[in-house]
């Protein structure tokens, strides 16, 4: 399903709308540190890569971010994102799709991984180690895993997670990215509460309940 997926401008525009809605929800809550400051947009530049799967991600050049307007606080709050998976240079959708393609290839062949994804095999290998290791210790995975019966095979992450979702490849990516979005920030605790409710925006669609 993911071996022929090409994520175009429309896909990333849909994710951008979701990110904007999440940022709006975080801003509406006000500053989490001082409790009385208003949060204003203070976006910053990103230069994401997409490999051959998501070359159009290069149109996503701004990570939405917020800053408290209260003197003496000025705390930055970077909302959860469905486009940027933390500080990784590659878009979150590409990390998910490239890892899934690499796992589907079976025997590890750096050349085949590079050819199929446009991402260096060493990079994909590093991502796969993260999915199987540190990711399984995150609150996001623990919460997801508690709802997945039978248990998801950690050795096959993230493919085993995507396989539990309904819809085509793009819809699955859209749902998974919303589930993973709380992982993409350290400055907005409990980010999932801001992601809930924005999933029905136009763009990558799917039913998050299907993962339950
Ligand atoms: Zn503040």
């Amino acid at each position: 399903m993911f071996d022929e997926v090409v994520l175009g401008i429309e896909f990333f525009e849909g994710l951008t709308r979701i990110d904007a809605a999440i940022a709006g929800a975080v801003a509406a809550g006000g500053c989490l540190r001082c409790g009385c400051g208003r949060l204003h947009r203070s976006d910053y530049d990103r230069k994401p890569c997409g490999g051959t799967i998501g070359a159009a991600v290069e149109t996503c050049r701004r990570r939405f971010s917020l800053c408290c307007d209260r003197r003496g606080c000025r705390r930055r709050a970077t909302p959860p994102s469905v486009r940027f998976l933390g500080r990784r240079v590659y878009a979150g959708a590409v990390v998910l799709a490239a890892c899934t393609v690499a796992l589907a290839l079976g025997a590890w062949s750096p050349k085949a991984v590079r050819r199929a994804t446009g991402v260096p095999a060493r990079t994909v290998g590093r991502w796969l180690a993260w999915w199987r290791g540190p990711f399984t210790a995150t609150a996001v995975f623990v919460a997801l895993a508690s709802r997945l019966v039978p248990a998801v095979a950690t050795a096959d992450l993230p493919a085993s997670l995507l396989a539990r979702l309904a819809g085509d490849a793009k819809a699955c990516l859209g749902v998974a990215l919303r589930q993973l979005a709380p992982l993409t920030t350290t400055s907005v605790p409990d980010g999932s509460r801001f992601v809930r409710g924005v999933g029905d925006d136009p763009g990558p669609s799917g039913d998050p309940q299907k993962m339950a």
Side-chain angles (χ1 to χ4, degrees), residues 19 46-48 57 60-64 81-92 181 184:
D19 272 3
R46 289 290 310 258
K47 284 186 181 173
V57 76
C60 300
R61 294 183 171 275
R62 302 283 280 173
R63 171 82 193 248
F64 300 147
S81 171
V82 292
R83 294 178 297 164
F84 306 104
L85 193 53
R87 294 182 178 178
R88 288 177 185 79
V89 173
Y90 286 83
T184 66

mmCIF file of all heavy atoms in Angstrom, residues 19 46-48 57 60-64 81-92 181 184:
data_model
loop_
_atom_site.group_PDB
_atom_site.id
_atom_site.type_symbol
_atom_site.label_atom_id
_atom_site.label_comp_id
_atom_site.label_asym_id
_atom_site.label_seq_id
_atom_site.Cartn_x
_atom_site.Cartn_y
_atom_site.Cartn_z
ATOM 1 N N ASP A 19 -2.547 21.444 11.457
ATOM 2 C CA ASP A 19 -1.576 22.100 12.347
ATOM 3 C C ASP A 19 -2.069 23.485 12.770
ATOM 4 O O ASP A 19 -1.899 23.891 13.921
ATOM 5 C CB ASP A 19 -0.208 22.222 11.654
ATOM 6 C CG ASP A 19 0.666 20.984 11.882
ATOM 7 O OD1 ASP A 19 0.174 20.033 12.521
ATOM 8 O OD2 ASP A 19 1.832 20.987 11.434
ATOM 9 N N ARG A 46 11.430 26.076 8.886
ATOM 10 C CA ARG A 46 11.890 24.688 8.784
ATOM 11 C C ARG A 46 12.192 24.423 7.319
ATOM 12 O O ARG A 46 11.634 25.053 6.444
ATOM 13 C CB ARG A 46 10.798 23.712 9.260
ATOM 14 C CG ARG A 46 10.517 23.708 10.756
ATOM 15 C CD ARG A 46 11.639 23.119 11.584
ATOM 16 N NE ARG A 46 12.110 21.831 11.138
ATOM 17 C CZ ARG A 46 11.801 20.665 11.703
ATOM 18 N NH1 ARG A 46 11.007 20.628 12.745
ATOM 19 N NH2 ARG A 46 12.293 19.534 11.245
ATOM 20 N N LYS A 47 13.090 23.495 7.084
ATOM 21 C CA LYS A 47 13.382 23.089 5.709
ATOM 22 C C LYS A 47 13.249 21.575 5.633
ATOM 23 O O LYS A 47 14.247 20.848 5.600
ATOM 24 C CB LYS A 47 14.795 23.523 5.310
ATOM 25 C CG LYS A 47 14.913 24.998 5.008
ATOM 26 C CD LYS A 47 16.309 25.321 4.482
ATOM 27 C CE LYS A 47 16.447 26.808 4.206
ATOM 28 N NZ LYS A 47 17.832 27.175 3.850
ATOM 29 N N PRO A 48 12.004 21.106 5.650
ATOM 30 C CA PRO A 48 11.803 19.658 5.702
ATOM 31 C C PRO A 48 12.169 18.954 4.393
ATOM 32 O O PRO A 48 12.104 19.540 3.313
ATOM 33 C CB PRO A 48 10.304 19.532 5.975
ATOM 34 C CG PRO A 48 9.705 20.763 5.414
ATOM 35 C CD PRO A 48 10.739 21.845 5.580
ATOM 36 N N VAL A 57 6.665 18.167 0.529
ATOM 37 C CA VAL A 57 6.752 18.704 1.894
ATOM 38 C C VAL A 57 7.609 19.967 1.922
ATOM 39 O O VAL A 57 7.541 20.747 2.865
ATOM 40 C CB VAL A 57 7.318 17.647 2.872
ATOM 41 C CG1 VAL A 57 8.819 17.500 2.710
ATOM 42 C CG2 VAL A 57 6.993 18.043 4.309
ATOM 43 N N CYS A 60 6.151 23.088 3.046
ATOM 44 C CA CYS A 60 5.861 23.335 4.471
ATOM 45 C C CYS A 60 7.102 23.953 5.112
ATOM 46 O O CYS A 60 7.942 23.246 5.649
ATOM 47 C CB CYS A 60 5.512 22.036 5.192
ATOM 48 S SG CYS A 60 4.076 21.181 4.548
ATOM 49 N N ARG A 61 7.195 25.246 5.061
ATOM 50 C CA ARG A 61 8.430 25.890 5.493
ATOM 51 C C ARG A 61 8.340 26.568 6.850
ATOM 52 O O ARG A 61 9.313 27.153 7.304
ATOM 53 C CB ARG A 61 8.884 26.900 4.446
ATOM 54 C CG ARG A 61 9.284 26.240 3.147
ATOM 55 C CD ARG A 61 9.808 27.231 2.149
ATOM 56 N NE ARG A 61 10.382 26.539 1.002
ATOM 57 C CZ ARG A 61 11.618 26.084 0.955
ATOM 58 N NH1 ARG A 61 12.418 26.268 1.975
ATOM 59 N NH2 ARG A 61 12.062 25.452 -0.112
ATOM 60 N N ARG A 62 7.149 26.523 7.486
ATOM 61 C CA ARG A 62 7.009 27.186 8.775
ATOM 62 C C ARG A 62 6.429 26.236 9.808
ATOM 63 O O ARG A 62 5.398 25.597 9.574
ATOM 64 C CB ARG A 62 6.081 28.400 8.656
ATOM 65 C CG ARG A 62 6.520 29.436 7.657
ATOM 66 C CD ARG A 62 7.633 30.303 8.164
ATOM 67 N NE ARG A 62 7.177 31.367 9.051
ATOM 68 C CZ ARG A 62 8.022 32.164 9.709
ATOM 69 N NH1 ARG A 62 9.322 31.991 9.604
ATOM 70 N NH2 ARG A 62 7.543 33.109 10.499
ATOM 71 N N ARG A 63 7.111 26.117 10.928
ATOM 72 C CA ARG A 63 6.548 25.374 12.050
ATOM 73 C C ARG A 63 5.780 26.378 12.894
ATOM 74 O O ARG A 63 6.335 27.404 13.309
ATOM 75 C CB ARG A 63 7.666 24.733 12.887
ATOM 76 C CG ARG A 63 7.212 24.114 14.222
ATOM 77 C CD ARG A 63 6.647 22.727 14.047
ATOM 78 N NE ARG A 63 5.946 22.249 15.235
ATOM 79 C CZ ARG A 63 6.360 21.250 16.014
ATOM 80 N NH1 ARG A 63 7.478 20.611 15.718
ATOM 81 N NH2 ARG A 63 5.650 20.873 17.060
ATOM 82 N N PHE A 64 4.505 26.094 13.108
ATOM 83 C CA PHE A 64 3.702 27.007 13.910
ATOM 84 C C PHE A 64 4.187 26.976 15.354
ATOM 85 O O PHE A 64 4.402 25.901 15.929
ATOM 86 C CB PHE A 64 2.219 26.635 13.847
ATOM 87 C CG PHE A 64 1.654 26.678 12.451
ATOM 88 C CD1 PHE A 64 0.653 25.811 12.061
ATOM 89 C CD2 PHE A 64 2.125 27.600 11.526
ATOM 90 C CE1 PHE A 64 0.120 25.846 10.770
ATOM 91 C CE2 PHE A 64 1.606 27.649 10.232
ATOM 92 C CZ PHE A 64 0.606 26.764 9.850
ATOM 93 N N SER A 81 2.353 18.847 16.218
ATOM 94 C CA SER A 81 2.287 18.991 14.763
ATOM 95 C C SER A 81 2.063 17.655 14.080
ATOM 96 O O SER A 81 2.592 16.630 14.516
ATOM 97 C CB SER A 81 3.607 19.597 14.251
ATOM 98 O OG SER A 81 3.662 19.554 12.834
ATOM 99 N N VAL A 82 1.261 17.669 13.012
ATOM 100 C CA VAL A 82 1.114 16.464 12.193
ATOM 101 C C VAL A 82 2.074 16.496 11.001
ATOM 102 O O VAL A 82 2.122 15.554 10.215
ATOM 103 C CB VAL A 82 -0.334 16.278 11.683
ATOM 104 C CG1 VAL A 82 -1.273 15.968 12.844
ATOM 105 C CG2 VAL A 82 -0.824 17.504 10.918
ATOM 106 N N ARG A 83 2.814 17.577 10.865
ATOM 107 C CA ARG A 83 3.767 17.671 9.746
ATOM 108 C C ARG A 83 5.193 17.356 10.165
ATOM 109 O O ARG A 83 5.914 16.648 9.467
ATOM 110 C CB ARG A 83 3.730 19.083 9.141
ATOM 111 C CG ARG A 83 2.425 19.427 8.463
ATOM 112 C CD ARG A 83 2.456 20.855 7.943
ATOM 113 N NE ARG A 83 2.594 21.810 9.033
ATOM 114 C CZ ARG A 83 2.954 23.075 8.885
ATOM 115 N NH1 ARG A 83 3.245 23.544 7.684
ATOM 116 N NH2 ARG A 83 3.035 23.883 9.926
ATOM 117 N N PHE A 84 5.612 17.904 11.309
ATOM 118 C CA PHE A 84 6.997 17.750 11.735
ATOM 119 C C PHE A 84 7.072 16.805 12.931
ATOM 120 O O PHE A 84 6.476 17.062 13.966
ATOM 121 C CB PHE A 84 7.576 19.111 12.123
ATOM 122 C CG PHE A 84 7.443 20.143 11.042
ATOM 123 C CD1 PHE A 84 6.490 21.139 11.115
ATOM 124 C CD2 PHE A 84 8.268 20.102 9.926
ATOM 125 C CE1 PHE A 84 6.359 22.094 10.110
ATOM 126 C CE2 PHE A 84 8.146 21.044 8.911
ATOM 127 C CZ PHE A 84 7.190 22.043 9.006
ATOM 128 N N LEU A 85 7.801 15.711 12.774
ATOM 129 C CA LEU A 85 7.946 14.739 13.860
ATOM 130 C C LEU A 85 9.147 15.149 14.703
ATOM 131 O O LEU A 85 10.260 14.659 14.508
ATOM 132 C CB LEU A 85 8.105 13.327 13.283
ATOM 133 C CG LEU A 85 7.965 12.145 14.252
ATOM 134 C CD1 LEU A 85 6.668 12.217 15.050
ATOM 135 C CD2 LEU A 85 8.034 10.828 13.503
ATOM 136 N N GLY A 86 8.911 16.095 15.600
ATOM 137 C CA GLY A 86 10.001 16.627 16.419
ATOM 138 C C GLY A 86 11.007 17.365 15.552
ATOM 139 O O GLY A 86 10.635 18.107 14.654
ATOM 140 N N ARG A 87 12.266 17.136 15.840
ATOM 141 C CA ARG A 87 13.317 17.877 15.124
ATOM 142 C C ARG A 87 13.821 17.157 13.885
ATOM 143 O O ARG A 87 14.769 17.598 13.251
ATOM 144 C CB ARG A 87 14.483 18.145 16.072
ATOM 145 C CG ARG A 87 14.086 19.088 17.193
ATOM 146 C CD ARG A 87 15.255 19.375 18.096
ATOM 147 N NE ARG A 87 14.869 20.315 19.142
ATOM 148 C CZ ARG A 87 15.673 20.721 20.113
ATOM 149 N NH1 ARG A 87 16.909 20.259 20.157
ATOM 150 N NH2 ARG A 87 15.249 21.568 21.015
ATOM 151 N N ARG A 88 13.223 16.044 13.563
ATOM 152 C CA ARG A 88 13.693 15.307 12.384
ATOM 153 C C ARG A 88 13.561 16.176 11.144
ATOM 154 O O ARG A 88 12.588 16.900 10.969
ATOM 155 C CB ARG A 88 12.892 14.021 12.206
ATOM 156 C CG ARG A 88 13.235 12.977 13.233
ATOM 157 C CD ARG A 88 12.377 11.734 13.068
ATOM 158 N NE ARG A 88 12.647 10.792 14.140
ATOM 159 C CZ ARG A 88 12.142 10.913 15.367
ATOM 160 N NH1 ARG A 88 11.351 11.909 15.645
ATOM 161 N NH2 ARG A 88 12.449 10.045 16.294
ATOM 162 N N VAL A 89 14.552 16.067 10.272
ATOM 163 C CA VAL A 89 14.562 16.863 9.049
ATOM 164 C C VAL A 89 13.442 16.410 8.114
ATOM 165 O O VAL A 89 12.836 17.215 7.424
ATOM 166 C CB VAL A 89 15.939 16.744 8.352
ATOM 167 C CG1 VAL A 89 15.916 17.430 6.997
ATOM 168 C CG2 VAL A 89 17.017 17.346 9.236
ATOM 169 N N TYR A 90 13.158 15.112 8.114
ATOM 170 C CA TYR A 90 12.114 14.576 7.230
ATOM 171 C C TYR A 90 10.736 14.734 7.878
ATOM 172 O O TYR A 90 10.604 14.677 9.106
ATOM 173 C CB TYR A 90 12.384 13.095 6.930
ATOM 174 C CG TYR A 90 13.524 12.895 5.965
ATOM 175 C CD1 TYR A 90 14.836 12.908 6.408
ATOM 176 C CD2 TYR A 90 13.304 12.729 4.602
ATOM 177 C CE1 TYR A 90 15.906 12.747 5.528
ATOM 178 C CE2 TYR A 90 14.350 12.567 3.708
ATOM 179 C CZ TYR A 90 15.658 12.575 4.176
ATOM 180 O OH TYR A 90 16.695 12.422 3.298
ATOM 181 N N ALA A 91 9.742 14.946 7.030
ATOM 182 C CA ALA A 91 8.366 15.093 7.511
ATOM 183 C C ALA A 91 7.917 13.810 8.210
ATOM 184 O O ALA A 91 8.354 12.713 7.860
ATOM 185 C CB ALA A 91 7.439 15.376 6.326
ATOM 186 N N GLY A 92 7.019 13.963 9.171
ATOM 187 C CA GLY A 92 6.528 12.813 9.909
ATOM 188 C C GLY A 92 5.905 11.756 9.008
ATOM 189 O O GLY A 92 6.123 10.556 9.192
ATOM 190 N N ALA A 181 1.084 13.142 17.198
ATOM 191 C CA ALA A 181 1.388 14.577 17.312
ATOM 192 C C ALA A 181 1.867 15.015 18.701
ATOM 193 O O ALA A 181 2.763 15.863 18.792
ATOM 194 C CB ALA A 181 0.171 15.404 16.875
ATOM 195 N N THR A 184 5.553 15.429 19.243
ATOM 196 C CA THR A 184 6.332 16.356 18.426
ATOM 197 C C THR A 184 6.683 17.650 19.148
ATOM 198 O O THR A 184 7.240 18.560 18.558
ATOM 199 C CB THR A 184 5.575 16.708 17.124
ATOM 200 O OG1 THR A 184 4.389 17.448 17.475
ATOM 201 C CG2 THR A 184 5.190 15.457 16.357
#
